[in-house]
Amino acid sequence: MNRTLLVSNRLPIRIEEDGSTVRTTGGLASALAGAGIDAQWVGWPGIPAEEVTDEAKLRASLAEVDVAPVILDEETIDGYYHGYANSTVWPILHYMLERARFDPAWYPFYRRANEAFAETVLAEVENGDSVWIHDYHLFLLPELLRQSDKQLRIAFFLHTPFPSSEIFRALPERHAILRGLLGCDLIGFHTYNYLRHFRSAILRVLGVESEVESIRREQRDVSLGVYPIGHDAKGFGEALQSASIHETLEKHQQELAGKQLFLSVERLDYTKGIPQKLEAIRLFLSEHPEERSRVVFVIIAVPSRGDVDEYRQLTEDVQREVGAINGAYGGVGHAPVQFLHRSFPQPELAALYALADACLVTPLVDGMNLVAKEFIDCKHEGEGARPGVLVLSEFAGAAQELSHALLVNPYDVVETARALKEAFVMSADEKWERTRAMRARLQRTDSAAWATTFLGDLKRQPLISEDANDSPQFPRLTDRFTSIIASRKPTALFLDYDGTLREFVAKPEDAVPDPDLCPLLTRLSSVPYLHIALVSGRPLDFLEAHFPEKHITLVAEHGYRWRRADADGWDLVHGHIDTDWKDEVMPLLEQSVDLTPGSHLEEKQSSIVWHYRRADPEFGLWRAHGLLSELTDVTASLPVAVHHGKKIVEVASQLVNKGQAVKALLNDWAPAIALAAGDDQTDETMFALDLPEHVEYVTVKVGTDLATHADRRTDINGLRRFLVGLDERLTGGKD
Ligand code: GDG
C-alpha cells in the first residue's frame, strides 16, 4: 500500500518531560486528520542533537506516533534555521530586502540540513510513495529526493508568498533553490500571483520556459497549481462547542464591561505590520477622544524566532509604542491597548474571536493568513452572538477570498484609522451580512478540503521511472536494425546534433560533443550496411572539427552543404542556390538586432538567423513575433522559408531544408529501415517526408515541446541508450 509522507521543518509533536511524545493538533496536522489522511511525518523534533540524551528512546517514542525525526546539531540549526531560512530567505520571500542578512557561512548548513532530511525520507519511503514537502526551509529537498533511484511522487507547498523575480534574484543561491524545486512533480502556491512570480523567476534565473499549469522538462513535467490554504474548521467548531466555552465567554464579557473588543492575533513578526497597526490605532484614538474609553485593542502576539536579532528588536519597539499609546490615551483603570506577548489555548482563541467586534489583520505581506479565516468562521449567528467585522490588509493572500472585509492598505495609516472608525460604528446587520457572504465559502474550503484537493492532484501525477522515456519500441527497433544488417541490407540513421545528441547550453560554442559521442558514432559508422548522417543547422567547419570520421556523412546548414561519407570535400546539396533575397530581408533583421539588446545575426550561405537567446526572454519572444509578422509581408514573393525555432528566427532558401537532404540520401542509400531523430522545428522537415510505402522510416522527436510529425518521442538519454544498445549489439561497444 503506497504511503504519503509529510515533510516539514517542525513536527506536530510535543516531547514531555518524561521523554514521551504526544502529537499536537493545529495547522497541517489537523488539516490531514480532518481529511482522513493518515500520513507519516518527517521533521525536526525541535531540540538539538546535543540535548538528545537517549536517541534510541527518542526514535522509538516518535515511531509510536508515526514520526521519523531528522536530528540536527546546534551549529546546523543555527546556520540552516535561524540563519539562512529565517534571516535570509524569509525576508526575501516577503519583499523585505533591507531586512535580509547575507552570511555566506549559512548556506552550507542549509544544504546540509536538506541533505539530512533527504536521508531520513529515503530511509522511510518505498517505490510508489508520495512525499509532500512544506515550506521554504526545504527548497533543496525535492531535487535531492529526485536524484535517488526511488520512484516517488514529490510535491512542494509554499506557505509564504513567492515574490517578484526582481526581489527573488537578490538571493545569491537563487539557481540552486529553483533547481531544487524543479525536482517536484507538483508545486503549490496560495495564489495565482505567487505562481506567476515563480514562473517569471524560473524564466529569468534559469531560462526555463513554462505554461500556466506546468513546466515541461525533458524527463518529466512539473505541474503548478493554486491551492489557497483553509483554516481548521473542525478544530474551531469543536472549540466553540466545548463545555467550558460559555464560562470563558461570560468571563471576557464581564472584563470588557461594555467596551468594544478590537482583536489582533499574530506571530510577532515584522511581516505582520504591528508597528503600522499601532500607528493607525494611535491616530484613531487621537482623532476620536470620545471613543477612547469605549474600545479596547487586544493584541495577541505569539513569541516567534526569539533567536533572531530582528525579532528581539521588533518586540522592544512594539512594547515601547504600546506603553506610549497607553500613556497618551489611557485613563485611570483603562489602557486602550493590551499587548499579550504569549500564546493561548485554541478554545480561548475561539472565544475571543466569537466575542470580538472587529478583528484587525493588517500584515504588510502575508502568504495567506489563517487568523482572518478563523475569525469569520467563529462568528456563529444565534442568540447572544456578537457580530464582528474583519479589517483586512489587501496584501494578505486571504484578501482574494475575503472581499467582504474592510480592505485596507496597511502602509496607509490614515485609511486604516478610517477603517477602524467605520468598524466601530458599523451596524450589527451589516456585520452579519458581510460575515455571511464569506463564511459559507470558508466552511467548504477548510484545511481538510485543501489537503484532500492537493493530495488528489499529487496522486494524479504519473510515476516516472528512470526508463520511462525510453520508448518501449526501442529494444524492438534495435532487433530490427540488427537483423536487417545481418541479412546484408542497408540501413540508415539521420541524427540532428544540438538538442538531440547534445543538450542545449546557453552559448552554442560550448555545446561540444561529450567524450563518449564521437567514439560511439565512429564505431557505428564502421558497421557495414549502416549509413550514418549527422543532419545539423551548424556550419560545416564546426561539424568537421568535431566529427572528423570520414565514414559519417555530415549535412551542414540545415541541408545546404554536405560532406558525403568517404568523400574528401564539401558539396552543395542542390547545386547553386539563388540568395539574392538576402538583400531584401537583411535590413529588417538588422533592425531587429538594433531594437533588441542581446540579440545578434548569424549569416550562413543559404540562410540568415536572428538569435535572441541572450535577450530578455519575454522581450525577445515578443520581438520575435513582431519580426515574424513583418517577414510574412516582405518574403511573400521570395524563394525563402521563414521559421521560428528555439530562440531563433531563421530565413532560409526554400529549397534548402533537412528533409530535402535526407530524401536525397534515402534515394542513394535505399535502406530497408531508416531512423531520423531531431528535436526542433527544422527537424520536422525530416519527419514529414513523403516516402514510398516500402521504406520503413522511423521518426523520433527528442523532447516534449511542440506538436510533431514524428511517430514517437524520447529524450536525449533515451536516444543515447538506443544508440549505445545498437553499438553493443553490432560492434560489442569497443573500439
Ligand atoms: C504561515 C504564513 C499562511 C496564533 N496565535 C495563537 C494561535 N495562533 C494560530 C492561529 C493561526 C496560526 O497560528 C497563524 O497562522 P497565519 O496564517 O496567520 O500565519 P503564519 O504563522 O505566519 O503562517 C501564512 C500560513 O503559514 C499557512 O499556510 O497563512 O501566510 O506566513 O492558525 O490560529 N493558536 C493558538 N494560540 C495562539 O495564541 N492555539
Side-chain angles (χ1 to χ4, degrees):
M1 171 73 176
N2 294 338
R3 295 180 314 159
T4 303
L5 266 85
L6 267 277
V7 192
S8 62
N9 173 58
R10 287 299 301 274
L11 288 164
I13 54 152
R14 202 176 54 242
I15 300 175
E16 304 288 17
E17 288 202 344
D18 63 359
S20 65
T21 311
V22 282
R23 280 281 273 259
T24 52
T25 53
L28 275 181
S30 25
L32 292 159
I37 295 158
D38 187 16
Q40 152 136 30
W41 286 75
V42 174
W44 172 50
I47 46 169
E50 289 83 344
E51 284 174 32
V52 178
T53 44
D54 186 343
E55 190 177 319
K57 189 172 161 206
L58 175 70
R59 285 185 185 278
S61 104
L62 287 170
E64 272 173 36
V65 288
D66 249 348
V67 163
V70 181
I71 297 178
L72 303 170
D73 61 35
E74 219 156 300
E75 196 188 15
T76 305
I77 294 164
D78 233 29
Y80 142 74
Y81 180 68
H82 302 306
Y84 195 73
N86 285 333
S87 301
T88 310
V89 178
W90 171 268
I92 285 182
L93 294 174
H94 290 86
Y95 288 82
M96 300 194 174
L97 254 188
E98 73 290 353
R99 290 198 186 261
R101 289 176 48 214
F102 298 92
D103 184 336
W106 289 339
Y107 181 73
F109 289 109
Y110 183 81
R111 199 176 160 84
R112 188 188 295 174
N114 274 254
E115 283 164 357
F117 271 81
E119 265 169 44
T120 310
V121 171
L122 290 171
E124 295 294 323
V125 285
E126 280 164 25
N127 284 343
D129 286 349
S130 298
V131 182
W132 186 7
I133 303 161
H134 290 266
D135 237 358
Y136 60 97
H137 315 90
L138 301 172
F139 276 143
L140 306 179
L141 185 54
E143 193 191 23
L144 292 171
L145 296 179
R146 184 65 70 194
Q147 283 162 354
S148 83
D149 52 7
K150 293 262 170 65
Q151 291 169 32
L152 303 170
R153 291 189 177 88
I154 304 172
F156 185 94
F157 187 81
L158 183 64
H159 289 262
T160 68
F162 194 97
S164 149
S165 61
E166 297 293 320
I167 299 283
F168 182 78
R169 66 200 291 192
L171 205 56
E173 298 76 16
R174 59 215 167 149
H175 297 98
I177 299 247
L178 293 176
R179 275 199 300 269
L181 282 173
L182 292 184
C184 285
D185 295 294
L186 172 66
I187 309 176
F189 302 90
H190 286 305
T191 72
Y192 175 65
N193 268 345
Y194 308 157
L195 184 156
R196 195 165 60 81
H197 290 317
F198 175 72
R199 288 184 59 209
S200 152
I202 56 166
L203 179 65
R204 279 157 197 291
V205 176
L206 298 182
V208 171
E209 289 176 5
S210 59
E211 290 156 28
V212 174
E213 287 192 334
S214 73
I215 307 168
R216 291 191 167 275
R217 307 290 287 158
E218 265 168 20
Q219 304 285 346
R220 98 212 106 73
D221 291 354
V222 181
S223 295
L224 304 174
V226 175
Y227 304 89
I229 198 171
H231 68 298
D232 176 14
K234 186 159 170 273
F236 278 94
E238 283 168 7
L240 287 175
Q241 301 296 324
S242 69
S244 61
I245 192 79
H246 294 291
E247 245 172 70
T248 317
L249 285 171
E250 212 146 284
K251 184 176 107 221
H252 287 316
Q253 294 257 35
Q254 280 172 11
E255 285 163 357
L256 284 170
K259 290 177 195 133
Q260 287 208 25
L261 165 62
F262 277 30
L263 178 70
S264 304
V265 179
E266 54 235 333
R267 274 186 311 101
L268 189 61
D269 191 294
Y270 47 76
T271 61
K272 301 290 180 182
I274 303 174
Q276 289 77 358
K277 179 156 49 195
L278 288 172
E279 231 183 293
I281 291 173
R282 184 190 264 279
L283 189 61
F284 169 80
L285 292 171
S286 84
E287 285 185 344
H288 304 288
E290 70 288 0
E291 324 291 23
R292 286 177 197 164
S293 58
R294 298 168 59 201
V295 62
V296 57
F297 292 90
V298 171
I299 300 181
I300 295 178
V302 181
S304 178
R305 305 175 192 170
D307 295 324
V308 177
D309 287 345
E310 297 281 329
Y311 289 75
R312 276 198 290 267
Q313 186 59 48
L314 177 70
T315 310
E316 278 171 37
D317 293 349
V318 167
Q319 280 167 337
R320 193 176 322 107
E321 180 59 9
V322 168
I325 295 176
N326 285 336
Y329 303 110
V332 176
H334 174 63
V337 182
Q338 285 186 23
F339 178 66
L340 307 175
H341 191 205
R342 59 176 191 274
S343 87
F344 287 75
Q346 196 186 34
E348 181 93 356
L349 207 56
L352 286 168
Y353 286 143
L355 275 180
D357 300 279
C359 186
L360 315 184
V361 177
T362 55
L364 302 177
V365 55
D366 210 337
M368 174 53 70
N369 195 291
L370 291 174
V371 168
K373 295 187 169 184
E374 292 161 5
F375 167 71
I376 296 295
D377 192 32
C378 286
K379 288 296 181 196
H380 294 211
E381 280 183 81
E383 213 192 313
R386 271 172 83 135
V389 64
L390 176 65
V391 178
L392 177 61
S393 163
E394 59 186 86
F395 303 136
Q400 299 197 355
E401 290 171 86
L402 304 176
S403 53
H404 288 79
L406 291 178
L407 293 178
V408 295
N409 169 357
Y411 291 97
D412 184 346
V413 290
V414 175
E415 184 189 56
T416 310
R418 215 180 293 134
L420 295 181
K421 175 68 177 173
E422 195 181 340
F424 192 80
V425 298
M426 190 177 281
S427 70
D429 281 352
E430 184 175 349
K431 285 179 179 168
W432 282 126
E433 218 169 283
R434 286 172 180 265
T435 303
R436 250 174 259 136
M438 298 185 277
R439 194 161 176 270
R441 180 192 154 84
L442 293 186
Q443 293 259 308
R444 286 196 312 274
T445 56
D446 69 349
S447 56
W450 168 80
T452 309
T453 309
F454 189 93
L455 285 172
D457 283 359
L458 177 57
K459 295 275 152 69
R460 273 190 284 280
Q461 304 300 315
L463 258 187
I464 301 291
S465 70
E466 226 209 323
D467 295 332
N469 283 301
D470 208 342
S471 163
Q473 290 103 322
F474 271 162
R476 256 182 286 147
L477 212 50
T478 313
D479 292 344
R480 244 355 246 133
F481 268 83
T482 318
S483 69
I484 292 173
I485 289 169
S487 64
R488 298 166 181 249
K489 285 194 206 130
T491 61
L493 296 173
F494 299 100
L495 305 169
D496 167 48
Y497 175 66
D498 292 281
T500 301
L501 292 174
R502 172 73 170 83
E503 269 167 26
F504 264 95
V505 291
K507 293 190 203 147
E509 56 273 25
D510 291 346
V512 295
D514 59 86
D516 297 335
L517 183 61
C518 292
L520 170 68
L521 294 181
T522 302
R523 278 194 305 273
L524 283 171
S525 71
S526 69
V527 173
Y529 301 102
L530 176 60
H531 296 280
I532 297 193
L534 283 186
V535 189
S536 168
R538 293 270 186 169
L540 51 91
D541 45 356
F542 176 91
L543 295 180
E544 204 162 37
H546 293 290
F547 299 95
E549 171 54 51
K550 292 280 190 206
H551 292 324
I552 303 174
T553 293
L554 301 176
V555 181
E557 293 185 27
H558 295 120
Y560 178 63
R561 287 171 190 245
W562 57 23
R563 191 198 70 188
R564 299 288 302 266
D566 304 318
D568 271 337
W570 289 85
D571 286 315
L572 297 175
V573 175
H574 303 281
H576 176 73
I577 290 211
D578 171 21
T579 52
D580 291 350
W581 54 265
K582 282 188 176 177
D583 296 339
E584 293 191 51
V585 298
M586 192 55 111
L588 206 54
L589 293 168
E590 283 173 340
Q591 190 191 33
S592 280
V593 172
D594 294 344
L595 292 176
T596 319
S599 72
H600 71 277
L601 288 187
E602 180 191 5
E603 188 172 354
K604 301 181 188 176
Q605 301 285 349
S606 65
S607 69
I608 314 175
V609 189
W610 178 67
H611 291 263
Y612 61 95
R613 186 174 289 281
R614 291 200 191 97
D616 176 283
E618 277 161 331
F619 183 61
L621 184 63
W622 180 71
R623 284 289 324 147
H625 286 304
L627 175 62
L628 285 165
S629 100
E630 286 173 294
L631 282 170
T632 310
D633 293 339
V634 173
T635 62
S637 56
L638 298 176
V640 297
V642 177
H643 100 267
H644 188 188
K646 285 184 179 160
K647 308 278 186 188
I648 58 142
V649 171
E650 175 159 35
V651 186
S653 289
Q654 213 162 38
L655 260 184
V656 176
N657 61 55
K658 291 180 174 182
Q660 292 301 326
V662 168
K663 200 166 179 180
L665 292 171
L666 284 168
N667 274 339
D668 253 27
W669 294 339
I673 185 169
L675 174 144
D679 71 306
D680 85 358
Q681 196 64 39
T682 60
D683 300 310
E684 293 295 318
T685 57
M686 297 198 285
F687 302 153
L689 284 182
D690 196 11
L691 297 174
E693 282 208 347
H694 65 267
V695 183
E696 192 176 339
Y697 187 54
V698 181
T699 49
V700 181
K701 162 89 184 173
V702 176
T704 52
D705 58 335
L706 302 171
T708 182
H709 291 98
D711 45 37
R712 69 186 74 191
R713 283 181 188 267
T714 187
D715 60 9
I716 290 181
N717 296 334
L719 180 69
R720 183 63 72 93
R721 279 195 289 270
F722 162 69
L723 294 174
V724 168
L726 200 57
D727 178 39
E728 278 165 4
R729 291 280 291 277
L730 296 171
T731 75
K734 289 194 188 75
D735 291 318

